[in-house]
Amino acid sequence: TGTPIGKSVNDLHGLLLFLQIDPYWVETWWKLSIYEPFCFGNKQPILEVLRSILWRTCKKDVLNQIDIPGQQEETHWLQFSPVEEHFYRRQHIDISRDVVGRLRK
């Protein structure tokens, strides 16, 4: 999967359950060996499990296999109507004031 964690680290248990990663697919083992140590600041057990099952491929390592075309940059200039121009200028002014005000705090 691309994103194994959605809301909490506990979401990984579902992935380990699906993959049947022994013994961590058993909820008791998951909690005692991985989840509780993580909750108390010990990240080593979860990192070891993840390193053993996850595979990360860097684009540079497979670039000759995926046939990605070269990047191009294109600039398109838009013409705003007077109403749009006024709206976006007001937005810029209001947001700029808000940012400056927050930075001064």
Side-chain angles (χ1 to χ4, degrees):
T1 100
T3 310
I5 300 175
K7 294 184 180 181
S8 80
V9 72
N10 208 30
D11 292 346
L12 284 174
H13 180 251
L15 179 65
L16 298 176
L17 177 62
F18 175 76
L19 296 174
Q20 295 184 350
I21 304 297
D22 198 35
Y24 308 110
W25 66 274
V26 178
E27 189 171 6
T28 303
W29 281 106
W30 160 256
K31 283 185 176 178
L32 292 174
S33 304
I34 306 295
Y35 184 69
E36 288 178 4
F38 181 83
C39 290
F40 289 106
N42 183 1
K43 297 176 184 161
Q44 197 59 38
I46 199 167
L47 292 176
E48 288 175 11
V49 170
L50 292 177
R51 281 188 194 116
S52 71
I53 62 168
L54 297 180
W55 173 10
R56 177 74 174 164
T57 301
C58 295
K59 185 167 72 172
K60 68 178 179 61
D61 296 333
V62 294
L63 199 54
N64 63 337
Q65 301 170 24
I66 55 179
D67 197 28
I68 294 178
Q71 287 186 332
Q72 294 180 342
E73 184 175 323
E74 293 183 24
T75 303
H76 297 271
W77 294 97
L78 303 174
Q79 284 290 339
F80 291 134
S81 71
V83 171
E84 291 169 325
E85 179 78 25
H86 174 75
F87 173 79
Y88 287 115
R89 283 200 189 282
R90 285 300 321 164
Q91 287 289 311
H92 178 75
I93 291 167
D94 293 345
I95 291 170
S96 296
R97 282 185 187 147
D98 184 48
V99 169
V100 169
R102 290 175 189 238
L103 291 174
R104 286 185 179 156
K105 291 182 180 181

